[in-house]
Amino acid sequence: MSRTPLIAGNWKMFKTGSEAVATARRLAEFASDITNIDIMIAPPFPSLALVSENLKSMSSRVNVGAQNLFYINEGAYTGEVSAKMLKAAGVSHVIIGHSERRQYFGETNEDICRKIKAAVESDLIPIMCIGETESQKKDGKTFYVLDKQIQNGLQGFRSNELLTLVIAYEPVWAIGTGNTATPEQAEAVHSYIRSEIEKMFNSNLAEDIRIIYGGSVKPDNISELMSHKNVDGALVGGASLDADKFIKIIKYNRIK
Ligand code: 13P
């Protein structure tokens, strides 16, 4: 299998600039001997350039991601940040459509589609988040919801525009709750997502696309999650805020 695992930390609305730099530097020191895996951290907007400069000065392989972007390059859009600005701040990845953005900020699949387009056009690696809520799961609508998120989120793309796309399956009921999906549940959904990508695009893209899991990932459940064929990495919230904990996740037991 040629998919390089991606372990990504979503710091959400935590850490000031100096706190973010301190954690990033500690992580970069710990991670200096890791070569066969992609690592990314996504601090809040005000710390992006600072963290990125610090990692660069350490020649670190740790990548910097943003947690959101707006899909227009520049203009009178108070409070928004564009792909071009992220790129100039040293950002390489961008999380798009996180369930917290869908839930609290009203982001729709159509917004998410535009954001992915903006990321792709600026050579940023988009990490598109999808996942069902607890009530959707109870109502047996998991696959229906995922279908809509994938079909509408990726509408109008040609497969060659999505070669770097990462899909993060983050069941909303597993985020910040300690109720992680079982590795078998994650594998089943990831395999379904891969088959949807094959139907919508083609088998090459389906085979190459990285599908990572998010929702209460911890040092003690990462190895089992990663042992499954279709789990290509993790998007980690709470446990990525602490460099020591996050490095334990990055150094999971690699048996596939
Ligand atoms: P937790 O790891 O805190 O459950 O958060 C997951 C998440 O939302 C990552 O984007």
Side-chain angles (χ1 to χ4, degrees):
M1 195 172 351
S2 61
R3 298 188 297 266
T4 306
L6 169 66
I7 305 285
N10 175 8
W11 288 359
K12 307 192 179 185
M13 199 176 71
F14 290 98
K15 295 187 190 293
T16 61
S18 56
E19 290 164 349
V21 167
T23 309
R25 291 188 72 95
R26 193 164 165 77
L27 183 65
E29 277 162 30
F30 284 144
S32 58
D33 57 337
I34 301 175
T35 51
N36 47 359
I37 193 167
D38 290 341
I39 306 168
M40 186 216 82
I41 47 173
F45 283 138
S47 311
L48 289 174
L50 207 56
V51 166
S52 152
E53 279 159 25
N54 270 270
L55 291 174
K56 211 164 162 194
S57 74
M58 294 172 78
S59 303
S60 174
R61 290 183 59 257
V62 176
N63 296 289
V64 178
Q67 300 172 20
N68 183 27
L69 53 60
F70 189 51
Y71 44 75
I72 291 175
N73 253 340
E74 58 183 18
Y77 298 98
T78 302
E80 295 298 326
V81 174
S82 73
K84 183 175 141 189
M85 293 167 189
L86 294 178
K87 193 78 190 167
V91 165
S92 55
H93 295 59
V94 56
I95 298 170
I96 295 177
H98 191 279
S99 63
E100 287 148 17
R101 297 221 50 90
R102 295 176 187 260
Q103 189 181 346
Y104 305 131
F105 302 98
E107 277 191 22
T108 63
N109 289 325
E110 291 66 32
D111 296 326
I112 288 155
C113 184
R114 288 191 196 109
K115 291 184 177 199
I116 296 172
K117 198 152 199 82
V120 166
E121 281 167 2
S122 286
D123 259 337
L124 290 168
I125 297 174
I127 302 177
M128 176 176 80
C129 300
I130 59 174
E132 80 287 5
T133 63
E134 179 150 37
S135 70
Q136 289 165 335
K137 180 172 189 269
K138 277 202 187 116
D139 293 345
K141 288 190 180 148
T142 297
F143 293 125
Y144 171 81
V145 169
L146 296 175
D147 278 351
K148 282 269 162 294
Q149 291 174 335
I150 295 170
Q151 285 163 14
N152 297 342
L154 298 179
Q155 195 180 11
F157 282 96
R158 292 189 310 266
S159 62
N160 65 357
E161 295 173 303
L162 298 178
L163 299 177
T164 63
L165 175 74
V166 176
I167 296 180
Y169 170 55
E170 295 207 308
V172 181
W173 47 268
I175 296 177
T177 58
N179 294 331
T180 184
T182 65
E184 293 70 27
Q185 280 172 324
E187 170 64 18
V189 174
H190 285 212
S191 152
Y192 178 80
I193 295 169
R194 213 176 284 291
S195 68
E196 283 304 294
I197 295 295
E198 177 163 2
K199 267 194 241 155
M200 200 171 163
F201 297 99
N202 55 54
S203 57
N204 284 344
L205 184 66
E207 178 55 31
D208 290 346
I209 209 161
R210 288 183 292 181
I211 306 175
I212 66 177
Y213 169 79
S216 298
V217 174
K218 303 275 181 298
D220 61 6
N221 58 24
I222 182 71
S223 298
E224 211 189 331
L225 281 162
M226 291 299 291
S227 71
H228 287 269
K229 182 164 117 242
N230 287 295
V231 179
D232 304 316
L235 184 53
V236 187
S240 73
L241 293 168
D242 177 302
D244 300 77
K245 239 188 219 168
F246 192 42
I247 201 72
K248 283 194 189 134
I249 294 177
I250 291 164
K251 294 191 172 172
Y252 67 91
N253 199 355
R254 270 164 235 180
I255 317 163
K256 200 68 122 177

